[in-house]
Amino acid sequence: MDDVQTLCSLAHELGHAHYDDPPGHYGAHELRADRFAAKLLINPDDYRIIEHTYGPHPARLAHELGVTVKVLKTWQTLHQKAFAS
C-alpha cells in the first residue's frame, strides 16, 4: 500500500474502533467506518477550494486532497446536497 492507501485504511479502522464494531465485515459497519474516514480526512473548505480550482474530476480531487477515490466519493455522497449548485 502507498501512503494514501495506508492513511485511508487507518482512518477506516479508527472508525471501527470508535464505534466498537465487532470483528467481521458487516455491510452497515463497513459503510459507517467509510463515512467516519471520509469525515475525518476531508475538510469541507479544502474540498470547496480544490473543486473550484481543478473541477469535478474524482481522481484529481482525491489526489489533491490526499485520499483515495473511494474516500472522496463517500465524502461527496455525504455532502452532495450542501455542494449542489
Side-chain angles (χ1 to χ4, degrees), residues 42-71:
I42 299 177
N43 176 291
D45 294 329
D46 292 342
Y47 178 90
R48 192 182 329 269
I49 291 167
I50 289 171
E51 185 182 55
H52 177 75
T53 303
Y54 296 105
H57 312 289
R60 181 65 188 258
L61 292 171
H63 173 77
E64 294 298 327
L65 290 164
V67 298
T68 62
V69 172
K70 180 180 179 181
V71 168

Side-chain angles (χ1 to χ4, degrees), residues 20-83:
D20 199 26
D21 290 341
H25 296 277
Y26 302 99
H29 296 160
E30 293 304 313
L31 180 57
R32 186 170 62 185
D34 286 345
R35 289 174 176 166
F36 182 91
K39 289 187 251 180
L40 181 67
L41 296 174
I42 299 177
N43 176 291
D45 294 329
D46 292 342
Y47 178 90
R48 192 182 329 269
I49 291 167
I50 289 171
E51 185 182 55
H52 177 75
T53 303
Y54 296 105
H57 312 289
R60 181 65 188 258
L61 292 171
H63 173 77
E64 294 298 327
L65 290 164
V67 298
T68 62
V69 172
K70 180 180 179 181
V71 168
L72 173 78
K73 288 185 174 186
T74 299
W75 189 90
Q76 287 175 325
T77 298
L78 289 169
H79 293 85
Q80 62 187 342
K81 290 179 184 173
F83 285 92

Side-chain angles (χ1 to χ4, degrees), residues 1-10 62-63 66-69:
M1 287 195 307
D2 64 22
D3 290 345
V4 170
Q5 291 170 324
T6 300
L7 176 68
C8 293
S9 293
L10 287 172
H63 173 77
V67 298
T68 62
V69 172

